Amino acid sequence: APHRGLSRPSLATMFTAADIDPTATNSPKFRLIAVQCLFALTTFSAMASQRKGLAGPDAQTLEVCGPLGCGYSSFPMFKFLVALFVIYWLFTLFAMAAYLLQKVPPPVTEFMCYTVFNVLLFAAFMASATECNTTIVDPVYPVCKRATAAKASVAFAFFTWTAVCVSMIFTFKEWRDANYSGIPGSANFDFVPGVTSTPGHSYPNQATAATTQTYA
């Protein structure tokens, strides 16, 4: 009887070395995504490591969290930042894998993804920066006065957002060079399942084909 372990293909056999394009690492877009991956990792790991030292929360006295201060989990804005940047970090890993496996989505898809993340990342940065600079007890004691890791996290959140803006510019230029193809419902959306492999690729116009068809 055949060995049961051979009946199911493993992940290693699904993707061979021939599927990986090592030259993808030379792409400025790939390198920019790699930088964003490191920035996002630093952002959420730094904030998650802030288990004490934060004043407050909610403009209350320092007595709420004791002499050591609060952790990041006492602040909804900081928890939102951690969760969002974990999601974006995973997104960058999938994006880099797509480039290496030559499965890059159309420019319009990349641009839309970066646009959504751009808005969310900026919102998380602004909310966390505002919370971090909120004064507690007196005007000279902000929430993050003794929280070095939280301040570093907010700074790297800004760096990540800036890098995403650059990725948006790259993908928008590619989309523009493709004549803004790939939007469903538009004149440039030339995608037919089974006929074209990706949105934006041209195929014979159905009306033209119908008028030029000959009958016996």
Side-chain angles (χ1 to χ4, degrees):
H3 193 275
R4 291 184 179 181
L6 299 177
S7 60
R8 181 179 299 177
S10 64
L11 185 62
T13 59
M14 293 174 61
F15 299 104
T16 63
D19 297 321
I20 299 176
D21 180 17
T23 62
T25 58
N26 298 327
S27 168
K29 287 177 59 180
F30 180 92
R31 294 180 179 181
L32 185 58
I33 296 173
V35 170
Q36 294 170 20
C37 180
L38 293 176
F39 283 174
L41 175 63
T42 303
T43 299
F44 74 77
S45 60
M47 184 63 76
S49 68
Q50 192 70 61
R51 301 300 178 87
K52 59 184 180 180
L54 292 165
D58 300 328
Q60 300 178 26
T61 65
L62 294 175
E63 297 176 359
V64 173
C65 299
L68 296 179
C70 298
Y72 83 95
S73 59
S74 299
F75 298 81
M77 300 304 181
F78 295 155
K79 289 193 293 184
F80 172 64
L81 181 138
V82 170
L84 178 61
F85 275 81
V86 167
I87 294 173
Y88 188 71
W89 175 67
L90 294 174
F91 169 79
T92 59
L93 293 179
F94 281 114
M96 288 189 292
Y99 273 79
L100 289 174
L101 295 173
Q102 307 176 60
K103 303 293 184 181
V104 183
V108 62
T109 303
E110 285 189 286
F111 180 74
M112 294 303 178
C113 289
Y114 285 127
T115 300
V116 172
F117 276 116
N118 181 278
V119 174
L120 293 175
L121 295 178
F122 183 73
F125 160 71
M126 288 299 299
S128 298
T130 301
E131 188 72 36
C132 211
N133 289 290
T134 301
T135 56
I136 305 296
V137 181
D138 59 69
V140 295
Y141 203 108
V143 169
C144 294
K145 182 178 179 66
R146 295 182 299 168
T148 304
K151 289 187 284 189
S153 176
V154 173
F156 274 94
F158 176 77
F159 297 154
T160 307
W161 172 75
T162 304
V164 173
C165 290
V166 179
S167 287
M168 283 184 63
I169 295 173
F170 280 157
T171 54
F172 178 79
K173 288 182 177 179
E174 289 183 346
W175 186 29
R176 182 189 60 189
D177 294 341
N179 198 24
Y180 303 104
S181 63
I183 302 180
S186 69
N188 293 323
F189 185 73
D190 297 335
F191 174 68
V192 175
V195 178
T196 52
S197 58
T198 57
H201 288 198
S202 60
Y203 60 93
N205 184 276
Q206 302 300 319
T208 303
T211 57
T212 57
Q213 186 177 9
T214 57
Y215 298 87

